[in-house]
Amino acid sequence: MPFNIVKRRGRKEMQLPERAMQPRRTDSTLMKALARAFRWKRMLESGEFSTIAELAAREGIAPSYMTRVLRLTLLAPDIVEAILDGKHGTDLTLARLLEPFPLEWKNQINKLKVCNLVL
């Protein structure tokens, strides 16, 4: 299959022809943040740690950051699945995901679709 080498953001990438199906790329930063959020939630719910401050001290991070990451456990299952499958928009970053979002799943999905952040 023919391809071209192009530079993007200082890195070389392989560019496939338009008709070729592009493989999905998972974002390891987003995946790690989701994994941490659900692990921390499980640790708090199990009683292993009684407060976020206690858990944050154990993890060596600021409690404010931990609370922002813990909010990811409130994301709609469709959004979580899109991130894990690499089907989210390329503009969806951890910083954007940590911004305040609606609690209702339908509104979360609509907000991200309007911004072209989720396919």
Side-chain angles (χ1 to χ4, degrees):
M1 178 175 288
F3 65 90
N4 294 322
I5 302 291
V6 294
K7 280 192 173 186
R8 287 199 182 140
R9 299 180 188 126
R11 294 178 13 187
K12 291 181 181 178
E13 290 186 4
M14 191 169 61
Q15 186 178 39
L16 299 174
E18 287 185 31
R19 66 185 183 280
M21 189 171 181
Q22 301 266 343
R24 296 287 182 182
R25 296 178 108 187
T26 56
D27 186 327
S28 62
T29 304
L30 290 175
M31 290 179 64
K32 285 178 188 177
L34 283 171
R36 287 182 180 134
F38 283 98
R39 182 175 64 89
W40 293 338
K41 179 182 177 189
R42 191 174 57 250
M43 293 167 87
L44 289 166
E45 288 177 342
S46 72
E48 186 177 345
F49 293 91
S50 55
T51 66
I52 290 174
E54 183 183 327
L55 178 56
R58 161 91 175 351
E59 295 287 317
I61 59 172
S64 60
Y65 176 74
M66 180 173 277
T67 57
R68 288 195 317 270
V69 174
L70 276 168
R71 278 198 318 245
L72 298 180
T73 63
L74 303 175
L75 284 171
D78 292 345
I79 296 171
V80 173
E81 187 176 329
I83 292 168
L84 296 178
D85 290 344
K87 294 181 181 176
H88 57 84
T90 56
D91 293 336
L92 184 61
T93 62
L94 181 58
R96 279 196 114 155
L97 203 55
L98 292 180
E99 292 173 1
F101 54 81
L103 291 179
E104 298 83 19
W105 290 349
K106 182 178 178 182
N107 293 342
Q108 290 175 13
I109 293 168
N110 289 338
K111 179 182 177 185
L112 293 177
K113 281 186 179 179
V114 165
C115 298
N116 294 321
L117 299 177
V118 176
L119 299 176

